[in-house]
Amino acid sequence: MTDTPSAGASRSVTAPDAARAGGGAGAVVRRIILLSLLFALVTVAAIGIAGLVEWAIGSASVIAQGEAPLARSLAFAVVGTPLAAALWWWQRRRLGEPGEQASLVWTLYLTAMTLTALVIATVALGQVAGDGISGEWRPGDAAAAVVWAGVWWWHRQLRRGPRTAPTRLGDLPVELSAVWGLVVGALGAVAALATVISRALAGGPGLLVAGQAWWQSALQALVWFVLGTVIWWWHWHREGARRVPGPFADVVVVVVVGAAAAATLVSLANALHLLLRLAVSGDGADVQASLDTAVAGAAVGAVVWAYHAGVLGGRADGARRAGRLVVSAIALIQAASGFGVIVNALLASVASVLADDESGNLLLGGISALVVGGVAWWASWRPDRVETTDAADPGRRVYLVVVFGASAIAAVVTLLLIGYRLFEFALGEGASGGLLEFLRAPMGVLSATAIVFAYHFAIWRRDRAAAPRAARRRIGRVILVSAGDVSALGAAVRSATGAAVTVWRTAEGEGTFGPDPAPVLAALEEVAAPRVLVLAEPGGAARVVPLAD
């Protein structure tokens, strides 16, 4: 049977209403104190009960540790459990009062307790499975997995119950739990794939750390992959994290896309660097030690990136733009870093301050970062595409200001460092090394930041000049007035203008739009207004009326 959120969990309360019903600052302080104490008591009780369960299923190992662990578990369980139960009974009664379920403190408590229980249960269960593959048995991990899984299930029921479910940001625990599962699954996949790649590159039977066979390490990593994937799937699909609307849900997806893109690009640049080293120097042993993790990280990161980029494509237009800007910023940082490293390596080779293999290795690293970051930046930023509507996008303006502002700050700091090193060298402090040795690293940073600043400042000035013209062409909302079905027309208008579409039905049942949306779209191209009224007239014609604010 598929779980569905209860009616209580789907209620919504506006922020002003919640503030009026919440009782003011005193009530907020009271909730913070009580729920923090409840969090601590539940944690203490869970630790104590887990210790007693460990004693029950593995008394021999517990007795061997002495009496102190058992005494601590008894104290935590006997004292902490009744206190936690009494405080929860008190808090359960308070949840029926106005504003309690709408309190953000209650939501944060459920989120913190849910994530704490989920993380501890996941780690303990993974340890139990990994030790089982190695032929070991640790009752402490098994007890912790069972007890903390129970704590997680209890708080899941609280989040879904009609009398205990939070009415503000109620899906926050689900979204963050899905992210945790994704992280665990991705890391497990990287470890398992890296082990297999390392085995394939090394050849022969081979043993890994502490005499462990390679297939045991691969199975242990695979356990974490399966465990994380199950957690992610449960919260993403079964609990509905994928379908959660709102700005916070968009931010979560954008952050995941950015993190996956960063992991993919860094791993890909590292793999390219290692392959270039192998092609130039032929040092296969040193390259193979790191190539497995780089290739695995790039492959897994690309899968996660591609999937969540598709999810982001179904979100609002602002979220899609934010995702593209985040990827562009990450790629830009990598490309600029690569360019700075290249300048550093070239100056080192000129000054002969490094050995040929060291400067060559540095140069190959910079080339790898520049190539991977540059290609990704071009694909996400699309400098060859010039659209007037982009100039009026607030997110793009903020992005440009942040980029060239940060570049300017970095350039100023680097200039100060260059000045300091010049005076240090002139005063004889750097007599043992040449001037280029003192300046090559900051000169690389300065050259990269100067290029980034110049380009983005020029784009910002161009957008600022084009922004008024783009803003005049934008329409905030289109109101379609018709007696018939206008879903197809509404979708066409929304896609062409990016404006919100509202449909009004006529009372007389007269006047419908024609089947072809082209005339309406052509008429809207000539209109610039915050709101536009589009009236259906007899015969399929349309009349467009711009409205003032």
Side-chain angles (χ1 to χ4, degrees):
M1 181 176 65
T2 303
D3 293 337
T4 56
S6 60
S10 61
R11 292 177 298 174
S12 61
V13 178
T14 61
D17 292 340
R20 287 192 294 268
V28 174
V29 174
R30 185 256 306 164
R31 295 184 192 114
I32 293 175
I33 294 175
L34 290 181
L35 292 176
S36 298
L37 184 59
L38 180 61
F39 181 93
L41 288 176
V42 170
T43 303
V44 168
I47 293 174
I49 295 173
L52 295 180
V53 173
E54 179 186 4
W55 178 82
I57 63 179
S59 57
S61 61
V62 176
I63 293 175
Q65 297 174 6
E67 298 178 354
L70 181 58
R72 182 196 62 190
S73 300
L74 285 170
F76 280 17
V78 173
V79 178
T81 303
L83 290 178
L87 186 57
W88 166 241
W89 173 80
W90 174 263
Q91 179 64 26
R92 179 69 174 78
R93 294 179 56 193
R94 300 299 298 263
L95 285 175
E97 299 178 3
E100 291 296 326
Q101 286 182 256
S103 170
L104 285 178
V105 181
W106 174 238
T107 302
L108 292 177
Y109 164 77
L110 285 178
T111 303
M113 197 74 252
T114 299
L115 284 177
T116 300
L118 181 62
V119 169
I120 296 177
T122 302
V123 173
L125 186 58
Q127 291 288 350
V128 169
D131 292 339
I133 294 174
S134 301
E136 300 178 6
W137 165 247
R138 296 184 181 179
D141 291 332
V146 172
V147 172
W148 283 101
V151 175
W152 170 81
W153 184 262
W154 173 38
H155 285 80
R156 175 183 180 271
Q157 297 304 108
L158 294 180
R159 181 182 57 81
R160 298 168 62 85
R163 299 183 60 186
T164 57
T167 56
R168 298 174 66 189
L169 293 179
D171 295 304
L172 180 61
V174 177
E175 297 173 80
L176 297 183
S177 298
V179 173
W180 164 250
L182 179 65
V183 171
V184 173
L187 292 178
V190 170
L193 186 58
T195 302
V196 174
I197 295 175
S198 177
R199 171 71 176 83
L201 292 176
L207 295 178
L208 296 182
V209 180
Q212 189 179 47
W214 70 271
W215 59 267
Q216 287 183 319
S217 296
L219 281 180
Q220 289 174 340
L222 194 62
V223 165
W224 291 102
F225 166 69
V226 173
L227 189 58
T229 302
V230 170
I231 294 173
W232 171 80
W233 175 87
W234 176 273
H235 292 91
W236 188 251
H237 293 283
R238 185 78 179 252
E239 297 282 357
R242 176 188 174 93
R243 300 182 298 273
V244 174
F248 185 82
D250 294 339
V251 170
V252 170
V253 179
V254 169
V255 170
V256 172
V257 168
T264 303
L265 296 179
V266 170
S267 299
L268 193 59
N270 190 23
L272 180 60
H273 177 209
L274 294 172
L275 292 175
L276 289 177
R277 284 179 54 190
L278 182 62
V280 172
S281 63
D283 187 7
D286 191 21
V287 169
Q288 289 177 5
S290 303
L291 186 60
D292 52 356
T293 303
V295 174
V300 175
V303 172
V304 176
W305 182 8
Y307 175 80
H308 288 85
V311 174
L312 192 61
R315 298 275 179 167
D317 183 66
R320 295 194 299 270
R321 289 177 178 267
R324 184 167 62 89
L325 291 177
V326 167
V327 174
S328 175
I330 293 171
L332 177 66
I333 292 173
Q334 186 177 38
S337 301
F339 183 82
V341 171
I342 291 175
V343 173
N344 187 353
L346 292 177
L347 291 177
S349 63
V350 170
S352 300
V353 295
L354 295 177
D356 291 339
D357 55 346
E358 293 179 355
S359 60
N361 186 27
L362 192 65
L363 180 61
L364 292 178
I367 292 175
S368 302
L370 178 60
V371 170
V372 174
V375 171
W377 174 79
W378 188 281
S380 57
W381 179 251
R382 295 293 302 274
D384 57 327
R385 184 186 62 186
V386 180
E387 294 185 3
T388 309
T389 55
D390 288 341
D393 180 34
R396 178 185 171 93
R397 292 201 298 268
V398 171
Y399 169 81
L400 290 172
V401 171
V402 169
V403 169
F404 78 70
S407 302
I409 294 174
V412 171
V413 173
T414 307
L415 285 174
L416 291 175
L417 179 60
I418 291 175
Y420 166 76
R421 292 196 169 184
L422 284 173
F423 285 112
E424 185 182 17
F425 183 83
L427 294 175
E429 297 293 334
S432 59
L435 181 61
L436 280 181
E437 170 64 13
F438 265 44
L439 298 182
R440 61 186 180 86
M443 286 298 294
V445 175
L446 181 62
S447 58
T449 54
I451 294 176
V452 171
F453 171 82
Y455 173 78
H456 288 85
F457 183 73
I459 297 297
W460 175 76
R461 292 191 61 183
R462 187 196 67 186
D463 285 0
R464 188 177 64 172
R469 184 170 63 257
R472 287 195 299 269
R473 295 180 56 186
R474 298 186 64 177
I475 299 174
R477 179 175 296 275
V478 176
I479 303 171
L480 302 177
V481 182
S482 172
D485 183 18
V486 294
S487 57
L489 177 60
V493 170
R494 188 180 300 107
S495 175
T497 64
V501 177
T502 301
V503 178
W504 290 353
R505 300 288 184 183
T506 58
E508 293 80 5
E510 297 180 358
T512 58
F513 292 104
D516 185 10
V520 176
L521 299 179
L524 289 175
E525 288 182 357
E526 305 299 328
V527 176
R531 292 174 297 169
V532 177
L533 186 66
V534 183
L535 302 171
E537 296 183 340
R543 184 159 64 97
V544 177
V545 181
L547 303 177
D549 289 335

